[in-house]
Amino acid sequence: MVELEAPQMDQVFHALGDATRRNMLNHLAGGERTVSELAQPFAMSLAAASKHIKALEHAGLIRREVRGRTHVCRLEARPLATAYQWLGQYARFWNSRLDVLEQLLREEAGRKTSTTPAPANPEPSKPESPRPTPSKGDDR
């Protein structure tokens, strides 16, 4: 079972709680990015982007490497795997609940099918009255 009270788990969910940081992680899933590249899609300064990156680093979701004057970031997926495992406990819970609901709905449908009366036999149709045939002396 995944440790519920792990401080890193709190930091991961805090970091994932912000749309900008989630988008940054999406970009990093495609490969390494510089801080400038991560900030570019957003209307924010490099200082603001750096604050988001620090939150992601603090959660262990990214690693930053300094190459000369350039800061390059890459995704660290292990904390996401831990969060996914923790969320998986709830997936099992909901799947079992939905399985019970499905069974109840099937039973209900079966009861409706077995208790619905068969349609009554329609009354035999009455033969149509024969049309009067015109008589030979009728010239209308």
Side-chain angles (χ1 to χ4, degrees), residues 114-133:
S114 65
T115 59
T116 304
N121 289 337
E123 290 185 29
S125 59
K126 296 179 183 178
E128 289 186 31
S129 310
R131 291 186 186 180
T133 55

Side-chain angles (χ1 to χ4, degrees), residues 50-108:
S50 185
K51 286 183 180 182
H52 285 292
I53 290 168
K54 285 178 184 174
L56 292 167
E57 279 182 302
H58 190 63
L61 293 168
I62 66 171
R63 296 259 185 236
R64 187 184 339 200
E65 180 182 329
V66 180
R67 297 178 187 161
R69 295 177 57 180
T70 305
H71 291 235
V72 178
C73 301
R74 72 171 190 264
L75 178 65
E76 289 292 326
R78 184 169 290 148
L80 288 174
T82 303
Y84 180 76
Q85 286 177 325
W86 184 79
L87 290 169
Q89 298 171 109
Y90 294 95
R92 286 187 295 278
F93 168 78
W94 283 110
N95 285 337
S96 69
R97 299 289 240 168
L98 290 171
D99 289 344
V100 169
L101 177 60
E102 180 182 25
Q103 182 61 36
L104 289 172
L105 291 172
R106 286 179 190 220
E107 289 171 6
E108 180 70 19

